[in-house]
Each structure stands twice: as C-alpha cells, then as structure tokens.
Coordinates of all heavy atoms in Angstrom, one line a residue:
E1 N -63.5 -24.1 -110.8 CA -62.4 -23.8 -111.6 C -61.6 -25.0 -111.8 O -61.6 -26.0 -110.9 CB -61.4 -22.7 -110.9 CG -62.1 -21.3 -110.8 CD -61.2 -20.4 -110.1 OE1 -60.1 -20.2 -110.8 OE2 -61.4 -19.9 -109.1
M2 N -60.8 -25.1 -113.0 CA -60.1 -26.3 -113.2 C -58.7 -25.9 -113.6 O -58.5 -24.9 -114.3 CB -60.6 -27.1 -114.4 CG -59.9 -28.4 -114.7 SD -60.8 -29.4 -115.8 CE -62.1 -30.0 -114.8
F3 N -57.6 -26.7 -113.1 CA -56.3 -26.4 -113.3 C -55.6 -27.6 -113.8 O -55.8 -28.7 -113.3 CB -55.7 -25.9 -112.0 CG -56.2 -24.7 -111.4 CD1 -57.3 -24.8 -110.5 CD2 -55.9 -23.4 -111.8 CE1 -57.9 -23.7 -110.0 CE2 -56.5 -22.3 -111.4 CZ -57.5 -22.4 -110.5
R4 N -54.6 -27.5 -114.8 CA -53.8 -28.6 -115.2 C -52.6 -28.7 -114.2 O -52.0 -27.6 -114.0 CB -53.4 -28.3 -116.5 CG -52.5 -29.5 -117.1 CD -52.1 -29.2 -118.5 NE -51.4 -30.3 -119.1 CZ -51.0 -30.3 -120.3 NH1 -51.1 -29.3 -121.1 NH2 -50.3 -31.3 -120.7
I5 N -52.4 -29.8 -113.6 CA -51.3 -29.9 -112.6 C -50.1 -30.8 -113.1 O -49.2 -30.9 -112.6 CB -51.7 -30.5 -111.4 CG1 -52.3 -31.9 -111.4 CG2 -52.8 -29.5 -110.6 CD1 -52.6 -32.5 -110.1
G6 N -50.3 -31.2 -114.4 CA -49.2 -32.0 -115.0 C -49.6 -33.0 -116.0 O -50.7 -33.6 -115.8
G7 N -48.9 -33.0 -117.1 CA -49.3 -34.0 -118.2 C -50.8 -34.0 -118.6 O -51.3 -33.1 -119.0
D8 N -51.4 -35.1 -118.1 CA -52.8 -35.3 -118.5 C -53.6 -35.3 -117.1 O -54.8 -35.8 -117.1 CB -53.1 -36.5 -119.3 CG -52.6 -37.7 -118.6 OD1 -52.0 -37.7 -117.5 OD2 -52.9 -39.0 -119.1
E9 N -53.1 -34.6 -116.1 CA -53.8 -34.5 -114.9 C -54.3 -33.2 -114.6 O -53.7 -32.2 -114.7 CB -52.9 -35.0 -113.7 CG -52.5 -36.5 -113.8 CD -51.8 -36.9 -112.6 OE1 -51.6 -36.3 -111.6 OE2 -51.2 -38.1 -112.6
F10 N -55.6 -33.1 -114.1 CA -56.2 -31.8 -113.8 C -56.9 -31.9 -112.4 O -57.2 -32.9 -111.9 CB -57.3 -31.6 -114.8 CG -56.9 -31.5 -116.2 CD1 -56.6 -32.5 -117.1 CD2 -56.6 -30.2 -116.8 CE1 -56.2 -32.4 -118.3 CE2 -56.1 -30.0 -118.0 CZ -55.9 -31.1 -118.8
V11 N -57.0 -30.7 -111.8 CA -57.7 -30.5 -110.5 C -58.8 -29.6 -110.7 O -58.6 -28.6 -111.4 CB -56.7 -30.0 -109.5 CG1 -57.5 -29.6 -108.2 CG2 -55.6 -31.0 -109.1
A12 N -59.9 -30.0 -110.3 CA -61.1 -29.1 -110.4 C -61.5 -28.7 -109.0 O -61.7 -29.6 -108.1 CB -62.4 -29.8 -111.1
F13 N -61.8 -27.4 -108.7 CA -62.2 -26.9 -107.4 C -63.7 -26.7 -107.6 O -64.2 -25.9 -108.4 CB -61.5 -25.6 -107.0 CG -60.0 -25.8 -106.7 CD1 -59.0 -25.5 -107.7 CD2 -59.7 -26.4 -105.6 CE1 -57.7 -25.7 -107.4 CE2 -58.3 -26.6 -105.3 CZ -57.4 -26.3 -106.2
V14 N -64.5 -27.4 -106.8 CA -66.0 -27.3 -106.9 C -66.4 -26.8 -105.5 O -66.5 -27.6 -104.6 CB -66.5 -28.6 -107.3 CG1 -68.1 -28.5 -107.4 CG2 -66.0 -29.2 -108.5
P15 N -66.7 -25.5 -105.3 CA -67.1 -25.0 -104.0 C -68.5 -25.4 -103.6 O -69.3 -25.8 -104.5 CB -67.0 -23.4 -104.2 CG -67.3 -23.3 -105.6 CD -66.6 -24.5 -106.4
T16 N -68.7 -25.5 -102.4 CA -70.0 -26.0 -101.7 C -70.7 -27.1 -102.4 O -71.7 -27.0 -102.9 CB -71.0 -24.7 -101.8 OG1 -71.2 -24.3 -103.2 CG2 -70.4 -23.5 -101.0
I17 N -70.0 -28.2 -102.3 CA -70.5 -29.5 -102.8 C -70.5 -30.5 -101.7 O -69.5 -30.6 -101.0 CB -69.9 -30.0 -104.1 CG1 -70.7 -31.1 -104.7 CG2 -68.4 -30.4 -103.8 CD1 -70.2 -31.4 -106.1
R18 N -71.5 -31.3 -101.6 CA -71.5 -32.4 -100.6 C -70.7 -33.6 -101.1 O -70.6 -33.7 -102.4 CB -72.9 -32.9 -100.2 CG -73.6 -31.7 -99.5 CD -75.0 -32.1 -99.0 NE -75.5 -33.3 -99.6 CZ -76.8 -33.5 -99.9 NH1 -77.6 -32.5 -99.9 NH2 -77.2 -34.6 -100.4
D19 N -70.2 -34.5 -100.3 CA -69.4 -35.6 -100.8 C -70.2 -36.6 -101.7 O -69.7 -37.0 -102.6 CB -68.7 -36.4 -99.6 CG -69.7 -36.9 -98.6 OD1 -70.8 -36.4 -98.5 OD2 -69.1 -37.6 -97.8
D20 N -71.5 -36.8 -101.3 CA -72.3 -37.6 -102.2 C -72.5 -37.1 -103.5 O -72.5 -37.8 -104.6 CB -73.7 -38.0 -101.5 CG -74.5 -36.9 -101.2 OD1 -73.9 -35.8 -100.9 OD2 -75.8 -37.0 -101.3
H21 N -72.6 -35.7 -103.7 CA -72.7 -35.0 -104.9 C -71.4 -35.1 -105.7 O -71.4 -35.2 -106.9 CB -73.2 -33.7 -104.8 CG -74.6 -33.5 -104.3 ND1 -75.1 -32.4 -103.8 CD2 -75.6 -34.4 -104.3 CE1 -76.4 -32.5 -103.5 NE2 -76.7 -33.8 -103.7
L22 N -70.3 -35.0 -105.0 CA -69.0 -35.1 -105.6 C -68.8 -36.4 -106.2 O -68.3 -36.6 -107.4 CB -68.0 -34.8 -104.6 CG -66.5 -34.6 -105.0 CD1 -66.4 -33.5 -106.1 CD2 -65.6 -34.3 -103.8
E23 N -69.2 -37.5 -105.6 CA -69.0 -38.8 -106.2 C -69.9 -38.9 -107.5 O -69.4 -39.5 -108.5 CB -69.5 -39.9 -105.2 CG -69.2 -41.3 -105.7 CD -69.4 -42.4 -104.7 OE1 -69.7 -42.1 -103.5 OE2 -69.2 -43.5 -105.1
R24 N -71.0 -38.3 -107.5 CA -71.9 -38.3 -108.6 C -71.3 -37.6 -109.8 O -71.4 -38.0 -111.0 CB -73.3 -37.8 -108.4 CG -74.1 -39.0 -107.8 CD -75.6 -38.5 -107.7 NE -75.8 -37.5 -106.7 CZ -76.8 -37.0 -106.2 NH1 -78.0 -37.4 -106.7 NH2 -76.8 -36.1 -105.2
L25 N -70.7 -36.4 -109.4 CA -70.0 -35.6 -110.4 C -68.9 -36.4 -111.0 O -68.7 -36.4 -112.3 CB -69.5 -34.3 -109.8 CG -68.7 -33.4 -110.8 CD1 -69.4 -32.9 -112.0 CD2 -68.1 -32.2 -110.0
A26 N -68.1 -37.1 -110.3 CA -67.0 -37.9 -110.8 C -67.5 -38.9 -111.8 O -66.9 -39.3 -112.9 CB -66.2 -38.5 -109.7
N27 N -68.5 -39.6 -111.4 CA -69.2 -40.6 -112.3 C -69.7 -40.0 -113.6 O -69.6 -40.6 -114.6 CB -70.3 -41.4 -111.5 CG -69.8 -42.2 -110.4 OD1 -68.7 -42.7 -110.5 ND2 -70.6 -42.5 -109.5
T28 N -70.3 -38.8 -113.5 CA -70.8 -38.2 -114.6 C -69.7 -37.8 -115.6 O -69.9 -38.0 -116.8 CB -71.6 -36.9 -114.2 OG1 -72.7 -37.2 -113.4 CG2 -72.1 -36.1 -115.5
I29 N -68.5 -37.4 -115.1 CA -67.4 -37.1 -115.9 C -66.9 -38.4 -116.7 O -66.7 -38.4 -117.8 CB -66.3 -36.5 -115.1 CG1 -66.6 -35.1 -114.6 CG2 -64.9 -36.4 -115.9 CD1 -65.8 -34.5 -113.6
T30 N -66.8 -39.4 -115.9 CA -66.4 -40.6 -116.4 C -67.3 -41.1 -117.6 O -66.9 -41.5 -118.7 CB -66.3 -41.8 -115.4 OG1 -65.4 -41.4 -114.4 CG2 -65.8 -43.1 -115.9
E31 N -68.7 -41.1 -117.3 CA -69.7 -41.5 -118.3 C -69.6 -40.6 -119.5 O -69.8 -41.0 -120.6 CB -71.0 -41.5 -117.7 CG -71.3 -42.7 -116.7 CD -71.1 -44.1 -117.3 OE1 -71.5 -44.3 -118.4 OE2 -70.3 -44.8 -116.7
F32 N -69.4 -39.3 -119.3 CA -69.3 -38.4 -120.5 C -68.2 -38.8 -121.5 O -68.5 -38.9 -122.7 CB -69.0 -37.0 -120.0 CG -68.7 -36.1 -121.1 CD1 -69.8 -35.5 -121.9 CD2 -67.5 -35.7 -121.5 CE1 -69.5 -34.6 -122.9 CE2 -67.2 -34.8 -122.5 CZ -68.2 -34.3 -123.2
F33 N -67.0 -39.2 -120.9 CA -66.0 -39.6 -121.8 C -66.1 -41.0 -122.4 O -65.7 -41.2 -123.6 CB -64.6 -39.5 -121.1 CG -64.2 -38.0 -121.1 CD1 -64.3 -37.4 -119.8 CD2 -63.5 -37.4 -122.1 CE1 -63.8 -36.0 -119.8 CE2 -63.1 -36.1 -122.0 CZ -63.3 -35.5 -120.8
K34 N -66.9 -41.7 -121.8 CA -67.3 -43.1 -122.4 C -68.1 -43.0 -123.6 O -68.1 -43.9 -124.5 CB -67.9 -44.0 -121.3 CG -67.0 -44.6 -120.3 CD -67.9 -45.5 -119.4 CE -67.1 -46.2 -118.2 NZ -67.9 -47.0 -117.3
N35 N -68.9 -42.0 -123.5 CA -69.9 -41.9 -124.6 C -69.6 -41.0 -125.8 O -70.4 -40.5 -126.5 CB -71.2 -41.4 -124.0 CG -71.8 -42.5 -123.1 OD1 -71.8 -43.6 -123.2 ND2 -72.4 -41.9 -121.9
Q36 N -68.3 -40.8 -125.9 CA -67.8 -40.0 -127.0 C -67.5 -40.7 -128.3 O -67.3 -42.0 -128.2 CB -66.6 -39.1 -126.6 CG -66.8 -38.2 -125.5 CD -68.0 -37.2 -125.8 OE1 -67.9 -36.4 -126.7 NE2 -68.9 -37.2 -124.9
R37 N -67.6 -40.1 -129.5 CA -67.2 -40.9 -130.7 C -65.7 -41.3 -130.7 O -65.5 -42.4 -131.1 CB -67.5 -40.0 -131.9 CG -69.0 -39.7 -132.2 CD -69.2 -39.1 -133.5 NE -70.6 -38.9 -133.6 CZ -71.3 -38.0 -134.3 NH1 -70.5 -37.1 -134.9 NH2 -72.5 -38.0 -134.5
K38 N -64.8 -40.5 -130.2 CA -63.5 -40.8 -130.1 C -63.3 -41.7 -128.8 O -64.2 -41.6 -127.9 CB -62.6 -39.6 -130.0 CG -62.4 -38.9 -131.3 CD -61.4 -37.7 -131.2 CE -61.4 -37.0 -132.4 NZ -60.2 -36.0 -132.3
I39 N -62.4 -42.5 -128.8 CA -62.1 -43.3 -127.6 C -61.3 -42.6 -126.5 O -60.2 -42.2 -126.9 CB -61.5 -44.6 -127.9 CG1 -62.4 -45.4 -128.9 CG2 -61.1 -45.5 -126.7 CD1 -61.7 -46.6 -129.4
Y40 N -61.9 -42.3 -125.4 CA -61.2 -41.7 -124.2 C -61.4 -42.6 -123.1 O -62.4 -43.3 -122.8 CB -61.9 -40.3 -123.9 CG -61.8 -39.2 -124.9 CD1 -63.0 -39.0 -125.7 CD2 -60.7 -38.5 -125.0 CE1 -62.9 -38.0 -126.7 CE2 -60.6 -37.5 -125.9 CZ -61.6 -37.2 -126.8 OH -61.7 -36.2 -127.7
T41 N -60.3 -42.7 -122.4 CA -60.3 -43.4 -121.2 C -59.9 -42.5 -120.0 O -58.9 -41.9 -120.0 CB -59.3 -44.7 -121.1 OG1 -59.6 -45.4 -122.3 CG2 -59.5 -45.5 -119.9
V42 N -60.8 -42.4 -119.0 CA -60.6 -41.3 -118.0 C -60.6 -42.0 -116.7 O -61.6 -42.8 -116.3 CB -61.7 -40.2 -118.0 CG1 -61.5 -39.3 -117.0 CG2 -61.5 -39.5 -119.4
A43 N -59.6 -41.8 -115.8 CA -59.6 -42.2 -114.4 C -59.8 -41.1 -113.5 O -59.0 -40.1 -113.7 CB -58.3 -43.0 -114.1
V44 N -60.8 -41.1 -112.7 CA -61.2 -40.0 -111.9 C -60.8 -40.4 -110.4 O -61.1 -41.5 -110.0 CB -62.6 -39.5 -112.0 CG1 -63.1 -38.5 -111.0 CG2 -62.9 -39.2 -113.4
G45 N -60.2 -39.4 -109.7 CA -60.1 -39.6 -108.2 C -60.5 -38.3 -107.6 O -60.3 -37.2 -108.2
W46 N -61.0 -38.4 -106.4 CA -61.6 -37.2 -105.7 C -61.5 -37.3 -104.3 O -61.3 -38.4 -103.7 CB -63.1 -37.0 -106.2 CG -64.0 -38.0 -105.8 CD1 -64.2 -39.1 -106.5 CD2 -64.7 -38.2 -104.6 NE1 -65.1 -40.0 -105.8 CE2 -65.4 -39.3 -104.6 CE3 -64.8 -37.4 -103.5 CZ2 -66.3 -39.8 -103.6 CZ3 -65.7 -37.9 -102.4 CH2 -66.4 -39.0 -102.4
D47 N -61.5 -36.2 -103.6 CA -61.5 -36.1 -102.1 C -62.2 -34.8 -101.9 O -62.3 -33.9 -102.6 CB -60.1 -36.2 -101.6 CG -60.1 -36.5 -100.1 OD1 -60.8 -37.5 -99.7 OD2 -59.5 -35.8 -99.4
L48 N -62.5 -34.6 -100.6 CA -63.3 -33.4 -100.2 C -62.4 -32.7 -99.1 O -62.0 -33.3 -98.1 CB -64.6 -33.9 -99.4 CG -65.6 -32.9 -99.1 CD1 -66.2 -32.2 -100.4 CD2 -66.8 -33.5 -98.3
Y49 N -62.3 -31.4 -99.3 CA -61.6 -30.6 -98.5 C -62.6 -29.9 -97.5 O -63.6 -29.2 -98.0 CB -60.8 -29.4 -99.3 CG -60.2 -28.4 -98.3 CD1 -59.1 -28.7 -97.5 CD2 -60.7 -27.1 -98.3 CE1 -58.5 -27.7 -96.8 CE2 -60.1 -26.1 -97.6 CZ -59.0 -26.5 -96.8 OH -58.4 -25.5 -96.0
I50 N -62.4 -30.0 -96.2 CA -63.2 -29.4 -95.3 C -62.5 -28.4 -94.4 O -61.5 -28.8 -93.6 CB -63.8 -30.5 -94.4 CG1 -64.6 -31.5 -95.1 CG2 -64.8 -29.9 -93.2 CD1 -65.0 -32.8 -94.4
P51 N -62.6 -27.1 -94.6 CA -61.9 -26.1 -94.0 C -61.8 -26.2 -92.5 O -60.8 -25.9 -91.9 CB -62.5 -24.7 -94.4 CG -63.1 -25.1 -95.7 CD -63.7 -26.6 -95.6
K52 N -62.8 -26.6 -91.8 CA -63.0 -26.7 -90.3 C -62.0 -27.7 -89.8 O -61.5 -27.6 -88.6 CB -64.4 -27.1 -90.0 CG -65.5 -26.1 -90.1 CD -66.7 -26.5 -89.6 CE -67.9 -25.5 -90.0 NZ -69.1 -25.9 -89.6
K53 N -61.5 -28.6 -90.6 CA -60.5 -29.6 -90.2 C -59.1 -29.0 -90.1 O -58.2 -29.6 -89.5 CB -60.5 -30.8 -91.0 CG -61.7 -31.7 -91.0 CD -61.5 -33.0 -91.7 CE -62.7 -33.9 -91.5 NZ -62.4 -35.2 -92.4
K54 N -59.0 -27.9 -90.8 CA -57.7 -27.1 -90.8 C -56.4 -28.0 -91.2 O -55.4 -27.9 -90.7 CB -57.3 -26.6 -89.4 CG -58.3 -25.5 -89.0 CD -58.0 -24.8 -87.7 CE -58.9 -23.7 -87.3 NZ -58.7 -23.1 -86.1
E55 N -56.7 -28.9 -92.2 CA -55.7 -29.7 -92.7 C -55.0 -29.0 -93.8 O -55.6 -28.1 -94.5 CB -56.2 -31.0 -93.1 CG -57.0 -31.2 -94.4 CD -57.5 -32.6 -94.7 OE1 -56.6 -33.5 -94.6 OE2 -58.6 -32.8 -95.1
R56 N -53.8 -29.5 -94.2 CA -53.2 -28.9 -95.4 C -53.8 -29.3 -96.6 O -54.1 -30.5 -96.8 CB -51.7 -29.2 -95.3 CG -51.0 -28.6 -94.1 CD -49.5 -28.9 -94.1 NE -48.9 -28.3 -95.2 CZ -47.8 -28.8 -95.7 NH1 -47.0 -29.8 -95.2 NH2 -47.2 -28.3 -96.8
F57 N -54.0 -28.4 -97.6 CA -54.7 -28.7 -98.8 C -53.9 -29.8 -99.7 O -54.5 -30.6 -100.3 CB -54.8 -27.5 -99.6 CG -55.7 -27.7 -100.8 CD1 -57.2 -27.9 -100.8 CD2 -55.2 -27.6 -102.1 CE1 -57.9 -28.1 -101.8 CE2 -56.0 -27.9 -103.2 CZ -57.4 -28.0 -103.0
I58 N -52.6 -29.8 -99.5 CA -51.8 -30.8 -100.3 C -52.2 -32.2 -99.9 O -52.1 -33.1 -100.7 CB -50.2 -30.6 -100.1 CG1 -49.5 -31.3 -101.1 CG2 -49.8 -30.8 -98.7 CD1 -49.7 -30.9 -102.6
H59 N -52.7 -32.4 -98.7 CA -53.1 -33.8 -98.2 C -54.3 -34.2 -99.0 O -54.5 -35.3 -99.4 CB -53.3 -33.8 -96.7 CG -52.1 -33.6 -95.9 ND1 -52.0 -32.9 -94.7 CD2 -50.8 -33.9 -96.2 CE1 -50.9 -32.9 -94.3 NE2 -50.0 -33.5 -95.2
V60 N -55.3 -33.2 -99.2 CA -56.4 -33.6 -100.0 C -56.0 -33.9 -101.5 O -56.6 -35.0 -102.0 CB -57.3 -32.3 -100.0 CG1 -58.6 -32.6 -100.8 CG2 -57.8 -32.0 -98.6
I61 N -55.2 -33.2 -102.0 CA -54.7 -33.5 -103.4 C -54.0 -34.9 -103.5 O -54.3 -35.7 -104.3 CB -53.6 -32.4 -103.8 CG1 -54.2 -31.1 -104.0 CG2 -53.0 -32.9 -105.2 CD1 -55.3 -30.9 -104.9
H62 N -53.3 -35.2 -102.5 CA -52.6 -36.5 -102.5 C -53.6 -37.7 -102.4 O -53.5 -38.7 -103.0 CB -51.6 -36.7 -101.2 CG -50.3 -36.0 -101.5 ND1 -49.4 -36.3 -102.5 CD2 -49.8 -34.8 -100.9 CE1 -48.4 -35.5 -102.5 NE2 -48.5 -34.6 -101.6
R63 N -54.7 -37.5 -101.5 CA -55.7 -38.4 -101.3 C -56.5 -38.6 -102.7 O -56.8 -39.8 -103.1 CB -56.7 -38.2 -100.3 CG -56.1 -38.3 -98.8 CD -57.1 -38.4 -97.8 NE -57.9 -37.2 -97.7 CZ -57.6 -36.0 -97.0 NH1 -56.6 -36.1 -96.2 NH2 -58.5 -35.1 -97.0
A64 N -56.8 -37.5 -103.4 CA -57.5 -37.6 -104.6 C -56.6 -38.3 -105.6 O -57.1 -39.0 -106.4 CB -57.9 -36.2 -105.0
D65 N -55.4 -38.0 -105.7 CA -54.4 -38.6 -106.6 C -54.3 -40.1 -106.3 O -54.3 -40.9 -107.3 CB -53.0 -38.0 -106.4 CG -52.1 -38.2 -107.6 OD1 -52.6 -38.0 -108.8 OD2 -51.0 -38.5 -107.5
S66 N -54.3 -40.6 -105.1 CA -54.2 -42.0 -104.8 C -55.5 -42.6 -105.2 O -55.4 -43.7 -105.7 CB -54.0 -42.2 -103.2 OG -52.8 -41.7 -102.8
A67 N -56.6 -42.0 -105.0 CA -57.9 -42.5 -105.5 C -57.9 -42.7 -107.0 O -58.4 -43.7 -107.5 CB -59.1 -41.7 -105.0
M68 N -57.3 -41.8 -107.7 CA -57.3 -41.8 -109.3 C -56.4 -43.0 -109.7 O -56.8 -43.7 -110.5 CB -56.7 -40.6 -109.7 CG -56.8 -40.4 -111.3 SD -55.2 -40.5 -112.3 CE -53.9 -39.8 -111.2
Y69 N -55.2 -43.3 -109.0 CA -54.4 -44.3 -109.4 C -55.1 -45.6 -108.9 O -55.0 -46.7 -109.6 CB -53.0 -44.3 -108.7 CG -52.2 -43.3 -109.5 CD1 -51.9 -42.0 -108.9 CD2 -51.7 -43.6 -110.7 CE1 -51.1 -41.2 -109.7 CE2 -50.9 -42.7 -111.5 CZ -50.7 -41.6 -111.0 OH -49.9 -40.6 -111.7
L70 N -55.9 -45.7 -107.9 CA -56.6 -47.0 -107.6 C -57.6 -47.2 -108.7 O -57.8 -48.4 -109.1 CB -57.3 -46.9 -106.2 CG -56.4 -46.9 -105.0 CD1 -57.2 -46.7 -103.8 CD2 -55.9 -48.4 -105.0
N71 N -58.3 -46.1 -109.2 CA -59.2 -46.3 -110.2 C -58.6 -46.8 -111.6 O -59.1 -47.7 -112.2 CB -59.9 -44.9 -110.5 CG -61.2 -45.0 -111.4 OD1 -61.6 -46.1 -111.8 ND2 -61.8 -43.9 -111.6
K72 N -57.4 -46.2 -111.8 CA -56.6 -46.8 -113.1 C -56.2 -48.3 -112.9 O -56.5 -49.0 -113.9 CB -55.3 -46.0 -113.1 CG -55.4 -44.6 -113.8 CD -54.1 -44.1 -114.0 CE -54.1 -42.8 -114.8 NZ -52.7 -42.3 -115.2
A73 N -55.8 -48.6 -111.7 CA -55.5 -50.1 -111.5 C -56.8 -51.0 -111.7 O -56.8 -52.0 -112.3 CB -54.9 -50.2 -110.2
K74 N -57.9 -50.4 -111.1 CA -59.2 -51.2 -111.3 C -59.6 -51.4 -112.9 O -60.0 -52.4 -113.3 CB -60.2 -50.6 -110.6 CG -61.6 -51.2 -110.7 CD -62.7 -50.4 -109.9 CE -64.1 -51.0 -110.2 NZ -65.2 -50.1 -109.6
M75 N -59.4 -50.2 -113.6 CA -59.7 -50.3 -115.0 C -58.8 -51.2 -115.7 O -59.3 -51.9 -116.7 CB -59.6 -48.8 -115.6 CG -60.6 -47.8 -115.0 SD -60.3 -46.2 -115.4 CE -60.5 -46.1 -117.1
K76 N -57.6 -51.3 -115.4 CA -56.6 -52.2 -116.0 C -57.1 -53.7 -115.8 O -57.0 -54.4 -116.7 CB -55.2 -51.9 -115.6 CG -54.5 -50.7 -116.2 CD -53.2 -50.5 -115.7 CE -52.6 -49.4 -116.3 NZ -51.2 -49.1 -115.9
L77 N -57.5 -54.0 -114.6 CA -58.0 -55.3 -114.2 C -59.2 -55.7 -115.1 O -59.5 -56.8 -115.3 CB -58.3 -55.4 -112.8 CG -57.0 -55.6 -111.8 CD1 -57.5 -55.5 -110.4 CD2 -56.3 -56.7 -112.1
E78 N -60.1 -54.7 -115.3 CA -61.3 -54.8 -116.1 C -61.0 -54.9 -117.6 O -61.9 -55.0 -118.4 CB -62.2 -53.7 -115.7 CG -62.8 -53.8 -114.3 CD -63.6 -52.7 -114.0 OE1 -63.7 -51.7 -114.7 OE2 -64.2 -52.6 -112.9
G79 N -59.8 -54.6 -118.1 CA -59.4 -54.6 -119.4 C -59.6 -53.3 -120.2 O -59.6 -53.2 -121.3
R80 N -59.9 -52.3 -119.4 CA -60.0 -50.9 -119.9 C -58.8 -50.1 -119.5 O -58.5 -49.8 -118.4 CB -61.2 -50.1 -119.3 CG -62.5 -50.8 -119.6 CD -63.8 -50.0 -119.1 NE -63.7 -50.1 -117.5 CZ -63.9 -49.0 -116.8 NH1 -64.2 -47.8 -117.3 NH2 -63.9 -49.1 -115.5
Q81 N -58.0 -49.9 -120.5 CA -56.6 -49.2 -120.3 C -56.9 -47.7 -120.1 O -57.4 -47.0 -120.9 CB -55.7 -49.4 -121.5 CG -55.2 -50.8 -121.5 CD -54.4 -51.2 -120.4 OE1 -53.7 -50.5 -119.9 NE2 -54.5 -52.5 -120.0
P82 N -56.5 -47.2 -118.9 CA -56.5 -45.7 -118.8 C -55.3 -45.0 -119.5 O -54.3 -45.6 -119.7 CB -56.3 -45.5 -117.3 CG -55.7 -46.7 -116.7 CD -56.1 -47.8 -117.8

C-alpha cells in the first residue's frame, strides 16, 4: 500500500520483504523515473520495520525520511536536483 504523507512525499508499506530486496526496490523506483520522457527527479529513502524489535513505527518513518534527505543531498552534489 502507498500513502501520501505530505507534499511530494509518500510512504509505501511492503509486507514480507527482506532488506536486500528493499534496497533493490528503491533502486528500481529511482531508475524507473530516470527513464521517463518527462524529467523526474526522485530521492528515495527506506528503512525496515521488524515487529520483533517492538520499536515505535514512527522511528522507522524518521529513519527512512533521514535516508531520503541524505539521498537528496548526494544528488545535489552530483548536479542532479531533487
């Protein structure tokens, strides 16, 4: 499921996925938007929620959000504006 959480930010819930597959999914999303006729710049951040850890879900969202902003900063340094 995908949810809009504000402006141009979205959260996707992908059940039963391993972290290495999650990273590949994030890369696939980024590459999809790179290969469109229109120019899209997408910064992706992700994190894995592990129910056994009993952590608050908001912490997972914050880590994913931080990863997305790190990705945006990296893109700016490379000359690709997010």
Side-chain angles (χ1 to χ4, degrees):
E1 294 184 64
M2 185 168 289
F3 301 92
R4 184 176 183 182
I5 60 170
D8 59 354
E9 293 185 12
F10 296 83
V11 170
F13 293 101
V14 183
T16 62
I17 191 168
R18 295 187 341 225
D19 57 346
D20 60 329
H21 291 161
L22 189 56
E23 186 171 2
R24 278 191 288 189
L25 176 60
N27 291 335
T28 299
I29 291 168
T30 302
E31 288 302 314
F32 172 82
F33 283 101
K34 279 183 186 176
N35 295 319
Q36 298 303 304
R37 288 187 178 154
K38 292 185 178 184
I39 297 173
Y40 295 100
T41 307
V42 177
V44 176
W46 60 273
D47 197 50
L48 191 63
Y49 174 70
I50 302 171
K52 290 180 183 179
K53 288 187 175 181
K54 296 183 179 180
E55 71 178 320
R56 295 182 62 202
F57 189 71
I58 193 67
H59 295 147
V60 178
I61 296 294
H62 285 292
R63 288 194 304 266
D65 199 46
S66 294
M68 188 247 332
Y69 281 106
L70 285 172
N71 193 1
K72 276 187 175 186
K74 179 182 172 189
M75 291 168 70
K76 284 182 182 180
L77 287 173
E78 294 172 350
R80 297 182 293 137
Q81 291 296 323

